Structures are given as C-alpha cells and as structure tokens.
Amino acid sequence: SRRPTKRTVKLKEKFAPIKSSNSNRRDKDESTSDSEGAKLGKNPSGEFLVRGRIFQTHKPVTFNQPWTNEEQKILEELLEMYPTEETEMERWKKIAVELGNRTPIQVQSRVQKYFLKLHKA
C-alpha cells in the first residue's frame, strides 16, 4: 500500500479531535475549521473534505484554500511589477514563483476574479 504523504498526515492530524469527540455520529458529515478558516470535514464514506470537496493528495497545499489578505496585497504589488506579456501564462508563472505558495493557474483565476470585481464596482 501507499505511504501517506505529509499533506495527508497533516490533514488527518486536524481531524483527530473530531474523530474522538464525534465517534457516535458516524452517519452524519463531520466538520471543523482550520486556523485559516477553511471548512474541513469527512463524508459518510470516510473521505476527507476541504470546503465541501474531496481532499486529493496530488493537489497543491493551497488547493481550495481562500486567499489571505496578505496574499492579495502581494498579488496586487506583483501585478504592477510584472506587466502584461505576449503570453500571459508566463506572467502568471513569474507571479506564482514570487508568491511561492500558489500555482500559475491559481494566480490566473484570482486575477480574473479580481478584475471582474473591480469592473462591477
């Protein structure tokens, strides 16, 4: 069998208190929040859920995690530092490297949503 990854072990550690305190509630979803406020839980079949989605170990640590205010501030600074390029993905890659904890796709999605909100305001 496969050895659990560090991410899986970390997630299971977060659920340790839930498992012991709710051992008689196996038929219902179990949930709690981590230090960043992301909703964690387990579905009836025992799979871990993060914000309502099944946790997948091959995804980045920041997958389905809300952006912090600090990350948003840094992103806005990096958008000014790295101007639009002919191939936009190159821009997102550079910004993701500078952020250090987000993928280029996550950066691209966040920027798209950011500009949509600005346009609506």
Side-chain angles (χ1 to χ4, degrees):
S1 72
R2 292 176 42 189
R3 290 181 53 156
T5 64
K6 287 181 183 179
R7 291 184 62 226
T8 304
V9 171
K10 187 176 178 184
L11 187 67
K12 286 182 179 179
E13 287 171 357
K14 287 182 180 182
F15 281 105
I18 296 172
K19 196 173 188 180
S20 61
S21 65
N22 294 333
S23 58
N24 60 350
R25 290 182 32 196
R26 289 199 175 126
D27 58 328
K28 295 184 179 181
D29 285 357
E30 300 174 357
S31 66
T32 187
S33 294
D34 69 1
S35 59
E36 290 86 30
K39 186 174 181 191
L40 306 173
K42 271 183 155 181
N43 66 12
S45 58
E47 297 170 307
F48 291 109
L49 301 175
V50 179
R51 294 177 64 204
R53 294 185 182 179
I54 296 174
F55 175 77
Q56 299 174 359
T57 56
H58 69 280
K59 298 283 187 175
V61 175
T62 54
F63 173 73
N64 204 20
Q65 297 297 312
W67 283 64
T68 64
N69 291 335
E70 183 180 337
E71 286 178 312
Q72 180 63 37
K73 183 181 177 207
I74 295 169
L75 175 63
E76 290 171 14
E77 292 169 2
L78 291 171
L79 286 171
E80 291 178 16
M81 189 184 307
Y82 293 102
T84 303
E85 296 189 19
E86 189 173 320
T87 307
E88 280 294 296
M89 187 50 76
E90 293 304 314
R91 181 185 189 196
W92 309 141
K93 286 178 185 177
K94 291 175 185 176
I95 292 173
V97 168
E98 286 286 328
L99 277 170
N101 64 336
R102 296 289 179 168
T103 66
I105 299 296
Q106 289 173 319
V107 171
Q108 178 186 21
S109 176
R110 181 65 177 193
V111 170
Q112 180 183 21
K113 291 175 185 175
Y114 174 74
F115 283 114
L116 283 173
K117 284 182 182 180
L118 283 179
H119 182 70
K120 288 181 179 179

